[in-house]
């Protein structure tokens, strides 16, 4: 029981201190060793042989995705493509569809691989102008951005290059397009329910005579506190704040790199890479693995690389300095991956302690003979505890991933269904008030939790949980589709 108390104390302190702005790079190993002290385990052995080995393995597996994703997002911002997409949608939908225009603009950008922080900085000024013109309460802007950037494009839509969709691939031997039907079903629930809620809230405000409000709109800029909060989520705002707005490309040219990401991802994962001779992977120097272990990661690497080349080639004259953009994107990739890797190391240490057997039995016992229920709860709760979707998923899969693969096989559940449920489950409790992305988004918009978190919670917590339940039911009765 002392060991279990140490695990719970370590988790509790991780939540509290991360919320206070202390770096996860420091917190994760410190809290892991605290739990080890309660268990009477060898500290240095756990740190160098378990924590660092697991954290290093995560970096080895996923650094290219973080690197290329950050570079792509930076180039989309510096070229003006991100703003061109948002303004192009506004022009096509009209000011009367302000909420839908903002949601779709955020969705297109994040589905194409642009960081949600870049999206928030790029979209907020446009959203503020639209909402003021349509006389929609400003307090609804954070929820509108969150619906497009934090929910269905991050976890549900098949093919998204988001890290939440990439992390399950090596565990389940799947691709970014695993169980596309389940993902689309969940995405429709999130988008439909979220859009209905926001429109309903706007109509209710209009009926009460509540308009945009007396707000002195500001250009989004990060304060030291915002940088600290965002660092807890794994982003360096100093590296992703936009440069002065460049001349924007035409709408179709701006959308082209996003289309390339999705189509190239599909083509590489479904047709090109499977046709290669990859027998060499069975050799010890290549890890002795099968193609399924690397297929998903390879396809995203190639898709993002192709999109970056297209983006640079079509916007060369609009980029003030390609070198500066590339350097800034590369620098912005380091903190996110090392923060997430530290959480993976924390999970590995906890899993190596004797007390974890009690936690494991309790978690695996949830849901009876359906491992999808247990998997979904474990991932969602850990995402809520850590305030990070990727962090919660990483801890759950690093500690219980192999077990869920075995349970899924025994229950006749396809790995693709396990992948999609895992990804969808990262959304929901991850967006509790202490989440770094939530705190930063509210600060960008110049609003408080009291003003805006209620609506944000509905679209980013409640409806994703509803979509998760729908997806689990569909997967349980219909399987992966």
């Amino acid at each position: 029981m002392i060991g279990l108390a140490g695990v719970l104390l370590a988790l509790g302190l991780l939540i509290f201190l991360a919320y206070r702005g202390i770096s996860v790079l420091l917190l994760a190993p410190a809290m892991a060793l605290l739990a080890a002290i309660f268990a009477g385990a060898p500290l240095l052995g756990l740190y160098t042989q378990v924590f660092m080995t697991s954290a290093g393995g995560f970096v080895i597996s996923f650094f290219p995705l973080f690197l290329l994703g950050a570079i792509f997002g930076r180039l989309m911002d510096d070229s003006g493509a991100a703003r061109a997409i948002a303004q192009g949608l506004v022009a096509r939908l009209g000011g009367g569809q302000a909420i839908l225009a903002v949601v779709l603009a955020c969705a297109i950008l994040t589905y194409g691989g642009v960081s949600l922080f870049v999206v928030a900085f790029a979209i907020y000024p446009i959203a503020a102008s639209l909402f003021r013109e349509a006389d929609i309460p400003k307090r609804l802007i954070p929820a509108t951005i969150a619906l497009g950037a934090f929910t269905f494009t991050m976890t549900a839509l098949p093919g998204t290059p988001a890290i939440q969709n990439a992390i399950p691939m090596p565990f389940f031997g799947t691709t970014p397009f695993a169980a596309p039907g389940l993902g689309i079903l969940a995405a429709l629930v999130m988008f439909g329910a979220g859009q209905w809620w926001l429109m309903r809230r706007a109509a209710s405000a209009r009926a009460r005579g509540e308009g945009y409000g007396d707000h002195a709109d500001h250009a989004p800029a990060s304060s030291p506190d915002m940088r600290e909060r965002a660092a807890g989520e794994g982003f360096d705002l100093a590296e992703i704040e936009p440069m002065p707005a460049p001349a924007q490309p035409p709408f179709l040219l701006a959308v082209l790199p996003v289309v390339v990401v999705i189509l190239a991802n599909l083509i590489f994962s479904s047709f090109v890479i499977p046709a290669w001779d990859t027998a060499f992977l069975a050799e010890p120097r290549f890890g002795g693995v099968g193609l399924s272990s690397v297929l998903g990661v390879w396809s995203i690497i190639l898709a993002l690389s192709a999109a970056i080349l297209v983006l640079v080639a079509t916007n060369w004259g609009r980029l003030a300095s390609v070198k500066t953009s590339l350097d800034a994107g590369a620098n912005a990739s380091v903190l996110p991956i090392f923060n997430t890797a530290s959480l993976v190391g924390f999970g590995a240490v906890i899993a190596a302690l004797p007390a974890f057997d009690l936690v494991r039995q309790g978690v695996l016992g949830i849901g009876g003979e359906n491992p999808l229920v247990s998997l979904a709860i474990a991932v969602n709760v850990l995402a809520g505890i850590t305030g990070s979707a990727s962090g919660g998923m990483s801890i759950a899969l690093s500690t219980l991933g192999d077990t869920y693969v075995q349970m899924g096989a025994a229950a006749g559940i396809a790995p693709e269904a396990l992948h999609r449920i895992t990804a969808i489950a990262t959304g929901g409790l991850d967006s509790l008030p202490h989440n770094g992305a939530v705190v930063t988004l509210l600060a960008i918009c110049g609003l408080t939790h009291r003003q805006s978190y209620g609506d944000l919670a509905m679209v980013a917590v409640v409806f994703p949980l509803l979509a998760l339940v729908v997806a689990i039911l569909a997967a349980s009765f219909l399987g992966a589709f």
Side-chain angles (χ1 to χ4, degrees):
M1 292 302 293
I2 293 178
L4 181 60
V7 170
L8 296 177
L9 176 62
L11 283 171
L13 287 174
L14 181 67
I15 301 170
F16 175 75
L17 295 175
Y19 181 67
R20 301 295 296 177
I22 298 178
S23 172
V24 174
L25 291 175
L26 298 174
L27 278 180
M31 294 304 101
L33 295 180
L34 175 63
I37 290 173
F38 275 76
L43 301 185
L44 287 176
L46 283 172
Y47 179 66
T48 62
Q49 305 307 116
V50 178
F51 183 95
M52 289 306 302
T53 298
S54 298
F58 182 87
V59 173
I60 290 170
S61 297
F62 295 109
F63 180 66
L65 306 190
F66 280 82
L67 175 65
L68 294 171
I71 290 174
F72 180 69
R74 182 75 200 208
L75 289 169
M76 285 289 291
D77 194 23
D78 290 352
S79 67
R83 290 178 181 81
I85 290 173
Q87 293 176 356
L89 283 172
V90 170
R92 286 159 174 77
L93 293 174
Q97 296 292 330
I99 291 176
L100 179 60
V102 172
V103 170
L104 291 181
C106 292
I108 289 173
L109 290 171
T110 50
Y111 191 40
V114 181
S115 157
L116 58 89
F117 282 96
V118 173
V119 171
F121 271 102
I123 297 300
Y124 165 71
I126 298 169
S129 175
L130 281 176
F131 276 51
R132 182 182 289 279
E133 181 180 347
D135 208 26
I136 299 171
K138 182 182 179 181
R139 59 184 174 81
L140 294 179
I141 291 179
T144 305
I145 293 176
L147 176 59
F150 291 14
T151 61
F152 57 96
T153 57
M154 184 180 78
T155 65
L157 284 181
T160 175
I163 194 63
Q164 290 81 3
N165 191 40
I167 291 176
M169 296 188 301
F171 290 94
F172 302 123
T174 49
T175 75
F177 292 87
L182 288 176
I184 292 172
L185 175 63
L188 289 173
V189 173
M190 292 184 218
F191 172 74
Q195 185 69 21
W196 165 80
W197 177 264
L198 292 172
M199 295 298 292
R200 175 176 174 272
R201 294 285 284 170
S204 177
R206 189 178 301 110
R208 296 194 306 271
E210 179 187 359
Y212 183 80
D214 184 16
H215 298 281
D217 290 327
H218 59 286
S222 68
S223 65
D225 180 65
M226 284 172 61
R227 294 172 191 254
E228 193 173 54
R229 296 286 190 183
E233 179 72 5
F235 289 88
D236 185 356
L237 293 185
E239 298 294 347
I240 66 171
E241 288 179 31
M243 294 179 176
Q248 294 175 177
F251 177 76
L252 292 179
L253 195 63
V255 173
L256 179 61
V258 175
V259 175
V260 169
V261 172
I262 304 305
L263 289 182
N265 199 353
L266 176 62
I267 292 169
F268 281 121
S269 62
S270 300
F271 306 105
V272 177
I273 298 177
W276 292 352
D277 180 5
T278 56
F280 64 87
L281 289 172
E283 298 176 20
R285 59 175 173 157
F286 294 109
V289 299
L291 177 60
S292 61
S293 298
V294 296
L295 175 60
V297 173
W298 283 7
S299 65
I300 294 178
I301 289 174
L302 292 174
L304 285 172
S305 297
I308 288 170
L309 292 175
V310 169
L311 182 52
V312 172
T314 55
N315 292 278
W316 184 267
R318 299 181 186 89
L319 293 165
S321 171
V322 174
K323 178 182 179 299
T324 299
S325 296
L326 293 176
D327 287 348
N331 291 336
S333 71
V334 176
L335 187 58
I337 192 167
F338 275 94
N339 271 15
T340 306
S342 292
L343 291 172
V344 172
F346 172 83
V349 170
I350 297 300
L353 300 178
F356 184 72
D357 287 339
L358 294 175
V359 177
R360 181 177 180 276
Q361 292 171 12
V363 171
L364 296 179
I366 300 173
E369 297 181 356
N370 189 344
L372 294 176
V373 176
S374 170
L375 175 62
I377 292 176
V379 171
N380 215 285
V381 169
L382 285 169
I385 288 173
T386 61
S388 167
S390 58
M393 172 195 285
S394 299
I395 293 174
L397 292 181
S398 64
T399 55
L400 295 170
D402 292 340
T403 302
Y404 282 120
V405 170
Q406 297 170 8
M407 292 175 65
I413 297 174
E416 290 77 12
L418 293 171
H419 172 133
R420 189 53 54 202
I421 295 301
T422 300
I424 295 171
T426 62
L429 297 184
D430 70 307
S431 294
L432 291 176
H434 66 286
N435 174 268
V438 169
V439 173
T440 303
L441 174 59
L442 291 173
I444 288 170
C445 296
L447 296 165
T448 65
H449 279 77
R450 183 175 183 178
Q451 290 172 305
S452 296
Y453 183 72
D455 293 300
L456 192 154
M458 288 299 297
V459 303
V461 178
V462 175
F463 296 142
L465 291 176
L466 173 62
L468 177 60
V469 172
V470 171
I472 291 174
L473 290 173
S476 298
F477 290 102
L478 302 176
F481 61 94

